[in-house]
Amino acid sequence: MFLKIMKNQVVGAAGLLALLSAGPAMATNVDPGTGSYTFQGSGIEVTKTVFGFPVTLSCNVELDGELDVDGNGTVFIDVTGGRMLPGGDSNCSQVDLQFSAGNWYASEQGTSTAGIPEASLPSPRLGTVITGQFNNVQVDTPLGYCSGSIVVSYSNGATIGAPSSFSFTNAALGTSGCTMDGVFEATTDVDVWQ
């Protein structure tokens, strides 16, 4: 009888220790929810190096995307379309954001696996920036074609309701001699965090 009581105490203590040592469960949060979102950027610079000389266009751009979360909390972001907006340099109307070979899709930086795992999401909600990349990016400029992956930083904003944004900071677009620089803000705020 004494051994049985000791065994129950040991099992109970082990269970309590497991509960106390377990970290808080993570959960992916999306406010206002998954769905379609549009981001706009003015003065987005697209630079193409031709014969060793960088040529830059400053354009106003709008991108449409889809945001979804799977059962594991992985966030999937696909840019499904985009267009040049009025304003910017006159040659911007000749820039074609191409989606014929599929969507631009987000992944962790340095990978091409679609999705941002829950553990890589910003925490806390505000004041945290996550760095990832868009893959399958294709842009046809008057000076040539740009394609590949591009590093991007995403922010939920400084306050709730402040526009979320993603930015490129002179980010190389693949190995095609192209870079992008600028900030895109959500037309409808969407915050993603763990």
Side-chain angles (χ1 to χ4, degrees):
M1 181 74 166
F2 176 73
L3 288 175
K4 187 175 180 182
I5 292 171
M6 287 294 292
K7 181 180 176 185
N8 287 342
Q9 287 177 340
V10 168
V11 170
L16 180 61
L17 181 62
L19 283 173
L20 292 175
S21 63
M26 292 186 296
T28 297
N29 300 284
V30 179
D31 182 18
T34 60
S36 301
Y37 292 94
T38 299
F39 285 76
Q40 292 181 345
S42 59
I44 304 297
E45 294 184 347
V46 179
T47 301
K48 173 74 175 166
T49 300
V50 182
F51 301 118
F53 296 100
V55 179
T56 301
L57 293 175
S58 180
C59 303
N60 299 329
V61 185
E62 184 172 77
L63 297 174
D64 302 317
E66 296 289 327
L67 186 147
D68 200 7
V69 179
D70 73 6
N72 296 320
T74 301
V75 174
F76 294 90
I77 302 168
D78 289 314
V79 179
T80 57
R83 66 208 58 75
M84 307 313 282
L85 298 174
D89 294 338
S90 60
N91 287 331
C92 290
S93 61
Q94 297 175 40
V95 174
D96 183 21
L97 305 173
Q98 298 189 339
F99 298 92
S100 59
N103 297 333
W104 305 358
Y105 64 93
S107 70
E108 288 187 284
Q109 187 175 355
T111 74
S112 60
T113 303
I116 307 291
E118 182 178 56
S120 296
L121 297 177
S123 179
R125 177 180 186 171
L126 304 173
T128 307
V129 173
I130 182 171
T131 301
Q133 71 184 37
F134 279 118
N135 302 283
N136 197 39
V137 178
Q138 301 169 69
V139 180
D140 196 7
T141 75
L143 297 172
Y145 189 71
C146 306
S147 67
S149 299
I150 189 167
V151 174
V152 60
S153 298
Y154 185 84
S155 170
N156 287 327
T159 59
I160 294 174
S164 299
S165 63
F166 66 88
S167 61
F168 305 107
T169 307
N170 288 320
L173 177 49
T175 57
S176 52
C178 301
T179 61
M180 291 182 76
D181 188 78
V183 177
F184 288 84
E185 289 189 346
T187 57
T188 299
D189 184 39
V190 55
D191 291 344
V192 181
W193 74 100
Q194 61 168 290

